[in-house]
Amino acid sequence: MDLVIEARDLKKTYKMGEIEVHALRGVSFTIQRGEVVSIMGPSGSGKSTMMNTLGCLDRPTSGDYILDGESVAEMTDDQLASVRNRKVGFVFQSFNLLSRLTALGNVELPLRYAGITEGRRDRAKAALEAVGLGDRMTHRPYELSGGQQQRVAVARSLVNNPAIIMADEPTGNLDSKVGKEIMNLLLSLNKDLGTTLIIVTHDPKIAEQTQRVIRLRDGELDTSGEAEGKK
Amino acid sequence: MTFTQAILEALESLNGNKMRSGLTVLGIVIGVAAVIAMLAVGNGAQESITGSISSIGTNLLFVFSGSQDGPPGGPGSGRSGNNDRPLTLGDADAISDPFAAPSVELVAPVIQGNGVLTFSGENTSTTISGVTPTYFPVRNMELAEGEPINEEHLLGRMSVVILGPETAIALFGHADGVVGETIRIEGQPFRVIGVLVAKGGGAFGSEDDSAYIPFTTAQARLIKRSSRDQVDVIFVQATTAESVPQAAEEISNIIRTRHRTPIGYDDFTVFTQQDFLSTFETITGVLTIFLGGIAGISLLVGGIGIMNIMLVSVTERTREIGLRKALGARKRDILLQFLTESSLLSLIGGIIGILFGWFIAFVVGRVAIATGNNFVPVVGTDAIILSTSFSAIIGLFFGIYPASRAANLEPVEALRYE
């Protein structure tokens, strides 16, 4: 199987005033296309930094990161924006939908930034139908329930056919029943479309449903419990 | 993102905060309207003044005593230096010599004073001019009724008077059918022989409120001057408008010779209508710039309002900016988005402001007409182009800083922003 993510010795250092904070201290791993992986770790473990780096929102201080064949560690801001647009779909804990736009408008956004005008509406509709919201297209976020909003966000994340979907605590703001539905939706999308799914979470129940768990502790891979994470 | 999309999205976003957008637009509206209205009033004043100067008479020159070195004063302002000779009838005669001054058509010496006119209990104070028969053609004045002052009146020092229409109304209550009545000027009886056609207000006060008597009568009985032949001002008509500078030169040479003035110093001043025009054009030009400048300040304040609101908007929408960046928006996408919003604000404000300013100018014109001033504000295309482009530039200029702040936000930071 081919690799969709290849991280080699990723390091990230922040400067907080005089103090240097080592958020990542040299992390290496690979993720294969079509895999469902969760990233776990206590707060302060470098989880968020890892997600920002993998999602191309930020560059590592050193090390190599190859996403779907493109080395992104040295890219400019606009190149990163382009990679995010083409290869990464985001699902956030707090949905992050634009309240002025309809569900359809929100799902169209990534296509707009991709410069796609032809068939944009149809693609957005198809994505909304894929998450079961075919009848809510013209609703605005405040007219939708939390679960429906997150479904819109999922539709938005997959509308550009990305190489990976990064989900950051996707069920964190939902009750357990709706959360389960969203998890099932994400997993079924992975099964149907073969999209690689990376879920950042601290909920072991979520992690249980993934094929592999990457555990972080103090900015390094925590290999002690690797075996039990595997299904 | 195409341009139309950017505009649609900006409209959507401005529409999402109607109150705030409206108030921001209002700042620009007031600024642009003020610029348009002020420039219109300035232009109107200029046209009204130059128009009234033109109505004084074509080809007209004024000669009065006193040098040009000081500030220009009106006829007979008595600013003459010690050695300055007053203008005399002799000077006027010399100017009318067709051989010495071929460019001069007509010469009208005038002596002026103020006096009280009475008629059966009514009285009015006005300017009394002692004039020769040439005065009326030189000044482009026509009689509504009666006859002009002629040589016979002049030779006989007759007690006859021609009234301006306003003066006639002040005395009789009406301006027609007054010929033949006898009024008193400073207690002396004068027979009314004519009434002038109304000309409207001029730059030098209304010429409709005036009284004209024969020069010799004024000299002998009403207006005393130190020397017998003294005149206050000589009105000269040049043969054509083109010969006005030529006539001025000829007149100057004649009077210089007669007064034996030292070289480089004239004890008299020849003023042409062009001089008046350019003087007043300068004055009204400065006035227009001044008014426009003050209005421009309010436009600037409106622009700062836009900047302020855009900065608030950027801060408020930090998460949105972060999200858009996460979804693949490049720096220039975000820059374009916010610049479009600020430009739209100022453009909408500019358009409404033009209409509003036009309306103000219209109202000012109406008020002017209602109060009897012949004054029409002129909204020029230059003012419209100026204020539109100025407000668009203001929208861009004051939008650039907030927009670039938005564009340069780090996506990670922006997404985390609460």
Side-chain angles (χ1 to χ4, degrees), chain B residues 343-379:
Chain B
S343 309
L344 268 183
L345 281 177
S346 68
L347 190 70
I348 293 168
I351 291 168
I352 299 174
I354 287 171
L355 298 176
F356 192 49
W358 213 317
F359 177 71
I360 292 174
F362 176 75
V363 169
V364 168
R366 275 301 162 97
V367 168
I369 288 167
T371 54
N373 289 307
N374 181 25
F375 168 67
V376 181
V378 182
V379 179

PDB file of all heavy atoms in Angstrom, chain B residues 343-379:
ATOM      1  N   SER B 343     -14.112  49.043   0.193  1.00  0.00           N
ATOM      2  CA  SER B 343     -14.361  49.852  -1.003  1.00  0.00           C
ATOM      3  C   SER B 343     -15.852  49.984  -1.275  1.00  0.00           C
ATOM      4  O   SER B 343     -16.320  51.051  -1.666  1.00  0.00           O
ATOM      5  CB  SER B 343     -13.699  49.223  -2.226  1.00  0.00           C
ATOM      6  OG  SER B 343     -12.364  48.941  -1.954  1.00  0.00           O
ATOM      7  N   LEU B 344     -16.578  48.886  -1.045  1.00  0.00           N
ATOM      8  CA  LEU B 344     -18.024  48.942  -1.255  1.00  0.00           C
ATOM      9  C   LEU B 344     -18.659  49.955  -0.308  1.00  0.00           C
ATOM     10  O   LEU B 344     -19.521  50.738  -0.707  1.00  0.00           O
ATOM     11  CB  LEU B 344     -18.644  47.564  -1.029  1.00  0.00           C
ATOM     12  CG  LEU B 344     -18.786  46.690  -2.262  1.00  0.00           C
ATOM     13  CD1 LEU B 344     -19.469  45.389  -1.902  1.00  0.00           C
ATOM     14  CD2 LEU B 344     -19.594  47.406  -3.334  1.00  0.00           C
ATOM     15  N   LEU B 345     -18.201  49.928   0.948  1.00  0.00           N
ATOM     16  CA  LEU B 345     -18.732  50.893   1.922  1.00  0.00           C
ATOM     17  C   LEU B 345     -18.562  52.306   1.398  1.00  0.00           C
ATOM     18  O   LEU B 345     -19.503  53.107   1.385  1.00  0.00           O
ATOM     19  CB  LEU B 345     -18.005  50.758   3.264  1.00  0.00           C
ATOM     20  CG  LEU B 345     -18.434  49.617   4.174  1.00  0.00           C
ATOM     21  CD1 LEU B 345     -17.554  49.594   5.412  1.00  0.00           C
ATOM     22  CD2 LEU B 345     -19.889  49.784   4.592  1.00  0.00           C
ATOM     23  N   SER B 346     -17.343  52.622   0.947  1.00  0.00           N
ATOM     24  CA  SER B 346     -17.097  54.006   0.531  1.00  0.00           C
ATOM     25  C   SER B 346     -17.761  54.308  -0.812  1.00  0.00           C
ATOM     26  O   SER B 346     -18.197  55.426  -1.054  1.00  0.00           O
ATOM     27  CB  SER B 346     -15.603  54.294   0.477  1.00  0.00           C
ATOM     28  OG  SER B 346     -15.016  53.574  -0.558  1.00  0.00           O
ATOM     29  N   LEU B 347     -17.868  53.284  -1.664  1.00  0.00           N
ATOM     30  CA  LEU B 347     -18.503  53.519  -2.959  1.00  0.00           C
ATOM     31  C   LEU B 347     -19.993  53.808  -2.782  1.00  0.00           C
ATOM     32  O   LEU B 347     -20.527  54.770  -3.349  1.00  0.00           O
ATOM     33  CB  LEU B 347     -18.315  52.299  -3.865  1.00  0.00           C
ATOM     34  CG  LEU B 347     -18.714  52.514  -5.319  1.00  0.00           C
ATOM     35  CD1 LEU B 347     -17.726  53.444  -5.992  1.00  0.00           C
ATOM     36  CD2 LEU B 347     -18.791  51.201  -6.064  1.00  0.00           C
ATOM     37  N   ILE B 348     -20.650  52.983  -1.954  1.00  0.00           N
ATOM     38  CA  ILE B 348     -22.074  53.211  -1.689  1.00  0.00           C
ATOM     39  C   ILE B 348     -22.254  54.592  -1.055  1.00  0.00           C
ATOM     40  O   ILE B 348     -23.103  55.387  -1.464  1.00  0.00           O
ATOM     41  CB  ILE B 348     -22.633  52.115  -0.764  1.00  0.00           C
ATOM     42  CG1 ILE B 348     -22.623  50.765  -1.483  1.00  0.00           C
ATOM     43  CG2 ILE B 348     -24.053  52.446  -0.319  1.00  0.00           C
ATOM     44  CD1 ILE B 348     -22.891  49.585  -0.583  1.00  0.00           C
ATOM     45  N   GLY B 349     -21.394  54.879  -0.067  1.00  0.00           N
ATOM     46  CA  GLY B 349     -21.448  56.198   0.569  1.00  0.00           C
ATOM     47  C   GLY B 349     -21.242  57.304  -0.443  1.00  0.00           C
ATOM     48  O   GLY B 349     -21.901  58.339  -0.399  1.00  0.00           O
ATOM     49  N   GLY B 350     -20.312  57.083  -1.388  1.00  0.00           N
ATOM     50  CA  GLY B 350     -20.026  58.098  -2.399  1.00  0.00           C
ATOM     51  C   GLY B 350     -21.234  58.367  -3.282  1.00  0.00           C
ATOM     52  O   GLY B 350     -21.582  59.525  -3.539  1.00  0.00           O
ATOM     53  N   ILE B 351     -21.900  57.291  -3.711  1.00  0.00           N
ATOM     54  CA  ILE B 351     -23.043  57.466  -4.616  1.00  0.00           C
ATOM     55  C   ILE B 351     -24.185  58.191  -3.897  1.00  0.00           C
ATOM     56  O   ILE B 351     -24.728  59.177  -4.401  1.00  0.00           O
ATOM     57  CB  ILE B 351     -23.514  56.091  -5.142  1.00  0.00           C
ATOM     58  CG1 ILE B 351     -22.452  55.524  -6.091  1.00  0.00           C
ATOM     59  CG2 ILE B 351     -24.847  56.224  -5.859  1.00  0.00           C
ATOM     60  CD1 ILE B 351     -22.653  54.079  -6.456  1.00  0.00           C
ATOM     61  N   ILE B 352     -24.496  57.717  -2.685  1.00  0.00           N
ATOM     62  CA  ILE B 352     -25.563  58.385  -1.931  1.00  0.00           C
ATOM     63  C   ILE B 352     -25.161  59.832  -1.653  1.00  0.00           C
ATOM     64  O   ILE B 352     -25.973  60.754  -1.742  1.00  0.00           O
ATOM     65  CB  ILE B 352     -25.853  57.632  -0.615  1.00  0.00           C
ATOM     66  CG1 ILE B 352     -26.304  56.207  -0.916  1.00  0.00           C
ATOM     67  CG2 ILE B 352     -26.928  58.355   0.200  1.00  0.00           C
ATOM     68  CD1 ILE B 352     -26.465  55.339   0.304  1.00  0.00           C
ATOM     69  N   GLY B 353     -23.873  60.024  -1.332  1.00  0.00           N
ATOM     70  CA  GLY B 353     -23.384  61.360  -1.019  1.00  0.00           C
ATOM     71  C   GLY B 353     -23.526  62.325  -2.190  1.00  0.00           C
ATOM     72  O   GLY B 353     -23.862  63.496  -2.009  1.00  0.00           O
ATOM     73  N   ILE B 354     -23.278  61.826  -3.409  1.00  0.00           N
ATOM     74  CA  ILE B 354     -23.422  62.687  -4.586  1.00  0.00           C
ATOM     75  C   ILE B 354     -24.871  63.147  -4.714  1.00  0.00           C
ATOM     76  O   ILE B 354     -25.148  64.342  -4.889  1.00  0.00           O
ATOM     77  CB  ILE B 354     -22.973  61.935  -5.859  1.00  0.00           C
ATOM     78  CG1 ILE B 354     -21.455  61.816  -5.868  1.00  0.00           C
ATOM     79  CG2 ILE B 354     -23.448  62.669  -7.110  1.00  0.00           C
ATOM     80  CD1 ILE B 354     -20.936  60.916  -6.957  1.00  0.00           C
ATOM     81  N   LEU B 355     -25.795  62.174  -4.589  1.00  0.00           N
ATOM     82  CA  LEU B 355     -27.212  62.529  -4.697  1.00  0.00           C
ATOM     83  C   LEU B 355     -27.600  63.519  -3.592  1.00  0.00           C
ATOM     84  O   LEU B 355     -28.280  64.522  -3.834  1.00  0.00           O
ATOM     85  CB  LEU B 355     -28.068  61.263  -4.597  1.00  0.00           C
ATOM     86  CG  LEU B 355     -27.828  60.238  -5.711  1.00  0.00           C
ATOM     87  CD1 LEU B 355     -28.651  58.986  -5.472  1.00  0.00           C
ATOM     88  CD2 LEU B 355     -28.155  60.842  -7.063  1.00  0.00           C
ATOM     89  N   PHE B 356     -27.126  63.230  -2.397  1.00  0.00           N
ATOM     90  CA  PHE B 356     -27.459  64.073  -1.250  1.00  0.00           C
ATOM     91  C   PHE B 356     -26.876  65.475  -1.426  1.00  0.00           C
ATOM     92  O   PHE B 356     -27.547  66.490  -1.181  1.00  0.00           O
ATOM     93  CB  PHE B 356     -26.933  63.405   0.025  1.00  0.00           C
ATOM     94  CG  PHE B 356     -27.433  64.013   1.291  1.00  0.00           C
ATOM     95  CD1 PHE B 356     -28.784  64.255   1.475  1.00  0.00           C
ATOM     96  CD2 PHE B 356     -26.556  64.338   2.317  1.00  0.00           C
ATOM     97  CE1 PHE B 356     -29.252  64.813   2.647  1.00  0.00           C
ATOM     98  CE2 PHE B 356     -27.017  64.893   3.494  1.00  0.00           C
ATOM     99  CZ  PHE B 356     -28.365  65.133   3.659  1.00  0.00           C
ATOM    100  N   GLY B 357     -25.614  65.529  -1.861  1.00  0.00           N
ATOM    101  CA  GLY B 357     -24.965  66.817  -2.080  1.00  0.00           C
ATOM    102  C   GLY B 357     -25.678  67.623  -3.170  1.00  0.00           C
ATOM    103  O   GLY B 357     -25.843  68.847  -3.064  1.00  0.00           O
ATOM    104  N   TRP B 358     -26.120  66.919  -4.191  1.00  0.00           N
ATOM    105  CA  TRP B 358     -26.870  67.544  -5.271  1.00  0.00           C
ATOM    106  C   TRP B 358     -28.143  68.175  -4.706  1.00  0.00           C
ATOM    107  O   TRP B 358     -28.509  69.303  -5.028  1.00  0.00           O
ATOM    108  CB  TRP B 358     -27.246  66.486  -6.314  1.00  0.00           C
ATOM    109  CG  TRP B 358     -27.274  67.004  -7.712  1.00  0.00           C
ATOM    110  CD1 TRP B 358     -27.805  68.196  -8.128  1.00  0.00           C
ATOM    111  CD2 TRP B 358     -26.749  66.367  -8.868  1.00  0.00           C
ATOM    112  NE1 TRP B 358     -27.644  68.322  -9.475  1.00  0.00           N
ATOM    113  CE2 TRP B 358     -27.003  67.217  -9.958  1.00  0.00           C
ATOM    114  CE3 TRP B 358     -26.102  65.157  -9.086  1.00  0.00           C
ATOM    115  CZ2 TRP B 358     -26.618  66.899 -11.253  1.00  0.00           C
ATOM    116  CZ3 TRP B 358     -25.730  64.839 -10.367  1.00  0.00           C
ATOM    117  CH2 TRP B 358     -25.975  65.708 -11.444  1.00  0.00           C
ATOM    118  N   PHE B 359     -28.783  67.397  -3.831  1.00  0.00           N
ATOM    119  CA  PHE B 359     -30.020  67.864  -3.202  1.00  0.00           C
ATOM    120  C   PHE B 359     -29.742  69.120  -2.360  1.00  0.00           C
ATOM    121  O   PHE B 359     -30.485  70.104  -2.444  1.00  0.00           O
ATOM    122  CB  PHE B 359     -30.599  66.737  -2.344  1.00  0.00           C
ATOM    123  CG  PHE B 359     -31.832  67.116  -1.584  1.00  0.00           C
ATOM    124  CD1 PHE B 359     -33.033  67.318  -2.253  1.00  0.00           C
ATOM    125  CD2 PHE B 359     -31.795  67.285  -0.214  1.00  0.00           C
ATOM    126  CE1 PHE B 359     -34.170  67.673  -1.562  1.00  0.00           C
ATOM    127  CE2 PHE B 359     -32.919  67.647   0.490  1.00  0.00           C
ATOM    128  CZ  PHE B 359     -34.112  67.841  -0.191  1.00  0.00           C
ATOM    129  N   ILE B 360     -28.655  69.078  -1.586  1.00  0.00           N
ATOM    130  CA  ILE B 360     -28.317  70.247  -0.760  1.00  0.00           C
ATOM    131  C   ILE B 360     -28.107  71.475  -1.647  1.00  0.00           C
ATOM    132  O   ILE B 360     -28.624  72.560  -1.385  1.00  0.00           O
ATOM    133  CB  ILE B 360     -27.054  69.979   0.084  1.00  0.00           C
ATOM    134  CG1 ILE B 360     -27.351  68.910   1.133  1.00  0.00           C
ATOM    135  CG2 ILE B 360     -26.576  71.264   0.769  1.00  0.00           C
ATOM    136  CD1 ILE B 360     -26.122  68.484   1.907  1.00  0.00           C
ATOM    137  N   ALA B 361     -27.335  71.276  -2.732  1.00  0.00           N
ATOM    138  CA  ALA B 361     -27.068  72.390  -3.652  1.00  0.00           C
ATOM    139  C   ALA B 361     -28.374  72.934  -4.225  1.00  0.00           C
ATOM    140  O   ALA B 361     -28.562  74.149  -4.340  1.00  0.00           O
ATOM    141  CB  ALA B 361     -26.148  71.921  -4.775  1.00  0.00           C
ATOM    142  N   PHE B 362     -29.270  72.009  -4.551  1.00  0.00           N
ATOM    143  CA  PHE B 362     -30.573  72.400  -5.095  1.00  0.00           C
ATOM    144  C   PHE B 362     -31.343  73.248  -4.078  1.00  0.00           C
ATOM    145  O   PHE B 362     -31.885  74.310  -4.407  1.00  0.00           O
ATOM    146  CB  PHE B 362     -31.357  71.135  -5.452  1.00  0.00           C
ATOM    147  CG  PHE B 362     -32.755  71.385  -5.928  1.00  0.00           C
ATOM    148  CD1 PHE B 362     -32.991  71.870  -7.204  1.00  0.00           C
ATOM    149  CD2 PHE B 362     -33.834  71.129  -5.096  1.00  0.00           C
ATOM    150  CE1 PHE B 362     -34.272  72.101  -7.640  1.00  0.00           C
ATOM    151  CE2 PHE B 362     -35.128  71.353  -5.534  1.00  0.00           C
ATOM    152  CZ  PHE B 362     -35.347  71.845  -6.800  1.00  0.00           C
ATOM    153  N   VAL B 363     -31.336  72.782  -2.804  1.00  0.00           N
ATOM    154  CA  VAL B 363     -32.047  73.520  -1.753  1.00  0.00           C
ATOM    155  C   VAL B 363     -31.421  74.899  -1.554  1.00  0.00           C
ATOM    156  O   VAL B 363     -32.128  75.907  -1.453  1.00  0.00           O
ATOM    157  CB  VAL B 363     -32.029  72.713  -0.432  1.00  0.00           C
ATOM    158  CG1 VAL B 363     -32.514  73.576   0.726  1.00  0.00           C
ATOM    159  CG2 VAL B 363     -32.892  71.469  -0.566  1.00  0.00           C
ATOM    160  N   VAL B 364     -30.085  74.948  -1.542  1.00  0.00           N
ATOM    161  CA  VAL B 364     -29.401  76.239  -1.386  1.00  0.00           C
ATOM    162  C   VAL B 364     -29.815  77.188  -2.512  1.00  0.00           C
ATOM    163  O   VAL B 364     -30.104  78.365  -2.287  1.00  0.00           O
ATOM    164  CB  VAL B 364     -27.867  76.046  -1.362  1.00  0.00           C
ATOM    165  CG1 VAL B 364     -27.156  77.389  -1.497  1.00  0.00           C
ATOM    166  CG2 VAL B 364     -27.444  75.368  -0.076  1.00  0.00           C
ATOM    167  N   GLY B 365     -29.873  76.655  -3.725  1.00  0.00           N
ATOM    168  CA  GLY B 365     -30.289  77.473  -4.869  1.00  0.00           C
ATOM    169  C   GLY B 365     -31.698  77.997  -4.687  1.00  0.00           C
ATOM    170  O   GLY B 365     -31.975  79.171  -4.947  1.00  0.00           O
ATOM    171  N   ARG B 366     -32.585  77.107  -4.213  1.00  0.00           N
ATOM    172  CA  ARG B 366     -33.972  77.515  -4.003  1.00  0.00           C
ATOM    173  C   ARG B 366     -34.075  78.612  -2.941  1.00  0.00           C
ATOM    174  O   ARG B 366     -34.796  79.593  -3.097  1.00  0.00           O
ATOM    175  CB  ARG B 366     -34.823  76.300  -3.572  1.00  0.00           C
ATOM    176  CG  ARG B 366     -35.340  75.497  -4.749  1.00  0.00           C
ATOM    177  CD  ARG B 366     -36.183  76.394  -5.623  1.00  0.00           C
ATOM    178  NE  ARG B 366     -36.380  75.869  -6.959  1.00  0.00           N
ATOM    179  CZ  ARG B 366     -37.450  75.199  -7.342  1.00  0.00           C
ATOM    180  NH1 ARG B 366     -38.419  74.968  -6.474  1.00  0.00           N
ATOM    181  NH2 ARG B 366     -37.550  74.764  -8.565  1.00  0.00           N
ATOM    182  N   VAL B 367     -33.306  78.416  -1.850  1.00  0.00           N
ATOM    183  CA  VAL B 367     -33.312  79.419  -0.781  1.00  0.00           C
ATOM    184  C   VAL B 367     -32.806  80.747  -1.331  1.00  0.00           C
ATOM    185  O   VAL B 367     -33.359  81.817  -1.049  1.00  0.00           O
ATOM    186  CB  VAL B 367     -32.455  78.938   0.408  1.00  0.00           C
ATOM    187  CG1 VAL B 367     -32.209  80.078   1.386  1.00  0.00           C
ATOM    188  CG2 VAL B 367     -33.126  77.762   1.104  1.00  0.00           C
ATOM    189  N   ALA B 368     -31.753  80.682  -2.147  1.00  0.00           N
ATOM    190  CA  ALA B 368     -31.177  81.908  -2.711  1.00  0.00           C
ATOM    191  C   ALA B 368     -32.212  82.631  -3.577  1.00  0.00           C
ATOM    192  O   ALA B 368     -32.365  83.849  -3.500  1.00  0.00           O
ATOM    193  CB  ALA B 368     -29.936  81.578  -3.537  1.00  0.00           C
ATOM    194  N   ILE B 369     -32.932  81.848  -4.385  1.00  0.00           N
ATOM    195  CA  ILE B 369     -33.940  82.471  -5.248  1.00  0.00           C
ATOM    196  C   ILE B 369     -35.057  83.063  -4.397  1.00  0.00           C
ATOM    197  O   ILE B 369     -35.517  84.188  -4.636  1.00  0.00           O
ATOM    198  CB  ILE B 369     -34.496  81.431  -6.244  1.00  0.00           C
ATOM    199  CG1 ILE B 369     -33.415  81.124  -7.287  1.00  0.00           C
ATOM    200  CG2 ILE B 369     -35.758  81.946  -6.926  1.00  0.00           C
ATOM    201  CD1 ILE B 369     -33.714  79.912  -8.124  1.00  0.00           C
ATOM    202  N   ALA B 370     -35.450  82.320  -3.365  1.00  0.00           N
ATOM    203  CA  ALA B 370     -36.543  82.787  -2.511  1.00  0.00           C
ATOM    204  C   ALA B 370     -36.174  84.078  -1.798  1.00  0.00           C
ATOM    205  O   ALA B 370     -37.017  84.938  -1.565  1.00  0.00           O
ATOM    206  CB  ALA B 370     -36.912  81.707  -1.502  1.00  0.00           C
ATOM    207  N   THR B 371     -34.904  84.241  -1.457  1.00  0.00           N
ATOM    208  CA  THR B 371     -34.487  85.463  -0.775  1.00  0.00           C
ATOM    209  C   THR B 371     -34.045  86.529  -1.765  1.00  0.00           C
ATOM    210  O   THR B 371     -33.488  87.542  -1.373  1.00  0.00           O
ATOM    211  CB  THR B 371     -33.349  85.175   0.216  1.00  0.00           C
ATOM    212  OG1 THR B 371     -32.300  84.507  -0.498  1.00  0.00           O
ATOM    213  CG2 THR B 371     -33.828  84.286   1.355  1.00  0.00           C
ATOM    214  N   GLY B 372     -34.237  86.290  -3.028  1.00  0.00           N
ATOM    215  CA  GLY B 372     -34.015  87.340  -4.023  1.00  0.00           C
ATOM    216  C   GLY B 372     -32.599  87.446  -4.532  1.00  0.00           C
ATOM    217  O   GLY B 372     -32.244  88.404  -5.188  1.00  0.00           O
ATOM    218  N   ASN B 373     -31.760  86.442  -4.216  1.00  0.00           N
ATOM    219  CA  ASN B 373     -30.405  86.486  -4.752  1.00  0.00           C
ATOM    220  C   ASN B 373     -30.349  85.711  -6.057  1.00  0.00           C
ATOM    221  O   ASN B 373     -30.887  84.614  -6.162  1.00  0.00           O
ATOM    222  CB  ASN B 373     -29.423  85.874  -3.766  1.00  0.00           C
ATOM    223  CG  ASN B 373     -29.234  86.768  -2.570  1.00  0.00           C
ATOM    224  OD1 ASN B 373     -28.935  87.942  -2.703  1.00  0.00           O
ATOM    225  ND2 ASN B 373     -29.455  86.216  -1.389  1.00  0.00           N
ATOM    226  N   ASN B 374     -29.690  86.290  -7.018  1.00  0.00           N
ATOM    227  CA  ASN B 374     -29.558  85.620  -8.292  1.00  0.00           C
ATOM    228  C   ASN B 374     -28.339  84.706  -8.226  1.00  0.00           C
ATOM    229  O   ASN B 374     -27.251  85.053  -8.641  1.00  0.00           O
ATOM    230  CB  ASN B 374     -29.392  86.651  -9.412  1.00  0.00           C
ATOM    231  CG  ASN B 374     -29.273  85.981 -10.751  1.00  0.00           C
ATOM    232  OD1 ASN B 374     -29.746  84.877 -10.922  1.00  0.00           O
ATOM    233  ND2 ASN B 374     -28.624  86.655 -11.681  1.00  0.00           N
ATOM    234  N   PHE B 375     -28.552  83.497  -7.645  1.00  0.00           N
ATOM    235  CA  PHE B 375     -27.416  82.646  -7.336  1.00  0.00           C
ATOM    236  C   PHE B 375     -27.809  81.186  -7.518  1.00  0.00           C
ATOM    237  O   PHE B 375     -28.721  80.692  -6.870  1.00  0.00           O
ATOM    238  CB  PHE B 375     -26.987  82.937  -5.900  1.00  0.00           C
ATOM    239  CG  PHE B 375     -26.019  81.948  -5.353  1.00  0.00           C
ATOM    240  CD1 PHE B 375     -24.744  81.854  -5.880  1.00  0.00           C
ATOM    241  CD2 PHE B 375     -26.375  81.125  -4.302  1.00  0.00           C
ATOM    242  CE1 PHE B 375     -23.851  80.941  -5.373  1.00  0.00           C
ATOM    243  CE2 PHE B 375     -25.483  80.223  -3.789  1.00  0.00           C
ATOM    244  CZ  PHE B 375     -24.215  80.129  -4.326  1.00  0.00           C
ATOM    245  N   VAL B 376     -27.177  80.518  -8.454  1.00  0.00           N
ATOM    246  CA  VAL B 376     -27.510  79.120  -8.726  1.00  0.00           C
ATOM    247  C   VAL B 376     -26.276  78.261  -8.488  1.00  0.00           C
ATOM    248  O   VAL B 376     -25.284  78.398  -9.196  1.00  0.00           O
ATOM    249  CB  VAL B 376     -27.978  78.943 -10.186  1.00  0.00           C
ATOM    250  CG1 VAL B 376     -28.354  77.493 -10.443  1.00  0.00           C
ATOM    251  CG2 VAL B 376     -29.137  79.863 -10.482  1.00  0.00           C
ATOM    252  N   PRO B 377     -26.302  77.362  -7.460  1.00  0.00           N
ATOM    253  CA  PRO B 377     -25.153  76.475  -7.246  1.00  0.00           C
ATOM    254  C   PRO B 377     -24.978  75.550  -8.443  1.00  0.00           C
ATOM    255  O   PRO B 377     -25.957  75.076  -9.015  1.00  0.00           O
ATOM    256  CB  PRO B 377     -25.543  75.669  -6.010  1.00  0.00           C
ATOM    257  CG  PRO B 377     -26.637  76.430  -5.375  1.00  0.00           C
ATOM    258  CD  PRO B 377     -27.343  77.147  -6.475  1.00  0.00           C
ATOM    259  N   VAL B 378     -23.735  75.322  -8.812  1.00  0.00           N
ATOM    260  CA  VAL B 378     -23.466  74.514  -9.992  1.00  0.00           C
ATOM    261  C   VAL B 378     -22.742  73.246  -9.574  1.00  0.00           C
ATOM    262  O   VAL B 378     -21.618  73.309  -9.068  1.00  0.00           O
ATOM    263  CB  VAL B 378     -22.598  75.295 -10.997  1.00  0.00           C
ATOM    264  CG1 VAL B 378     -22.359  74.465 -12.235  1.00  0.00           C
ATOM    265  CG2 VAL B 378     -23.267  76.611 -11.362  1.00  0.00           C
ATOM    266  N   VAL B 379     -23.397  72.071  -9.749  1.00  0.00           N
ATOM    267  CA  VAL B 379     -22.743  70.789  -9.479  1.00  0.00           C
ATOM    268  C   VAL B 379     -22.001  70.385 -10.743  1.00  0.00           C
ATOM    269  O   VAL B 379     -22.606  70.006 -11.736  1.00  0.00           O
ATOM    270  CB  VAL B 379     -23.767  69.707  -9.090  1.00  0.00           C
ATOM    271  CG1 VAL B 379     -23.062  68.384  -8.851  1.00  0.00           C
ATOM    272  CG2 VAL B 379     -24.529  70.139  -7.858  1.00  0.00           C
TER     273      VAL B 379
END
